[in-house]
Amino acid sequence: MAILKIARMGHPVLRRRAEEVADPTAPEITRLAFDMRETMADAGGVGLAAPQVHVPLRVVLFQVPGPRGGGDGVPLTVLVNPEVEPLDDELDTAFEACLSVPGLTGAVPRYRRVRYRGFDIRGRAIEREAEGFHARVVQHECDHLDGVLYPMRMADMGSFGFVDEMRRAAAVEEGQERAEQGDDGD
Ligand code: NI
């Protein structure tokens, strides 16, 4: 296994449509999935798409931690040749970040509920319905396969910014609110 180099916004591999995988059970796809898992763990992400490691194939993986998945979370899932469809028109807007857009974050509208399909690396079909953060992660990762990065989905570019600046601003705002409430900050 190996930790792979992550492509950043501006690299052409992130802008093109990735190719279908002919055989999800091929040894090179298994190796890719393991390397992507190691790369994602090293980078501290919750999802990764093959184009982000310079491989223009339709492979994504993700993991939803329990508290963000609305309870049980979603175990590490590799999806080969995934397809996503919204279950209705309802959208949610929430902040996203991406290993290919390091240091930045922005608010992105996504479908609240989706169904997705694909294959695992043993060739078994996966079909699930997802909502909330789980649905968001799947849409974000699958967008990478079509050359779409989250800033391209943003409705309000005013919400785009550097994570550390926005954390600092939020902390200052919180401090001001506490001062106004006469809270001594404990
Ligand atoms: Ni991403």
Side-chain angles (χ1 to χ4, degrees):
M1 289 197 291
I3 293 171
L4 306 172
K5 189 178 177 207
I6 296 174
R8 292 181 306 161
M9 184 167 63
H11 193 293
V13 75
L14 295 172
R15 291 302 304 273
R16 59 178 280 196
R17 188 183 185 279
E19 302 287 329
E20 310 287 332
V21 172
D23 176 8
T25 67
E28 60 268 27
I29 298 301
T30 300
R31 196 175 318 124
L32 172 65
F34 276 94
D35 286 349
M36 285 173 62
R37 183 177 74 176
E38 199 176 3
T39 303
M40 183 175 83
D42 177 69
V46 294
L48 193 66
Q52 291 184 276
V53 292
H54 305 84
V55 177
L57 290 174
R58 302 186 81 77
V59 179
V60 301
L61 84 175
F62 55 87
Q63 187 166 23
V64 179
R68 301 190 77 174
D72 297 338
V74 181
L76 185 77
T77 300
V78 178
L79 279 184
V80 180
N81 298 336
E83 284 172 35
V84 187
E85 56 173 317
L87 290 174
D88 53 49
D89 292 336
E90 198 182 330
L91 301 175
D92 267 347
T93 297
F95 278 86
E96 294 189 12
C98 179
L99 295 173
S100 294
V101 191
L104 288 157
T105 184
V108 186
R110 299 280 187 190
Y111 289 110
R112 181 167 162 66
R113 281 177 284 270
V114 299
R115 175 183 294 120
Y116 62 90
R117 298 185 178 83
F119 295 90
D120 70 12
I121 55 174
R122 293 184 187 173
R124 295 176 299 202
I126 293 174
E127 178 174 341
R128 292 180 190 153
E129 289 185 5
E131 62 174 55
F133 184 73
H134 179 191
R136 175 171 297 277
V137 170
V138 171
Q139 289 169 85
H140 176 120
E141 297 314 326
C142 291
D143 260 358
H144 277 297
L145 306 181
D146 294 323
V148 175
L149 296 172
Y150 81 80
M152 298 157 71
R153 294 278 192 204
M154 289 176 62
D156 172 14
M157 288 305 286
S159 73
F160 198 32
F162 287 94
V163 176
D164 55 356
E165 294 288 357
M166 289 164 87
R167 278 209 191 112
R168 197 174 302 149
V172 167
E173 205 168 290
E174 195 183 324
Q176 281 168 351
E177 272 170 29
R178 285 184 164 199
E180 280 162 21
Q181 289 162 4
D183 190 330
D184 60 6
D186 65 357

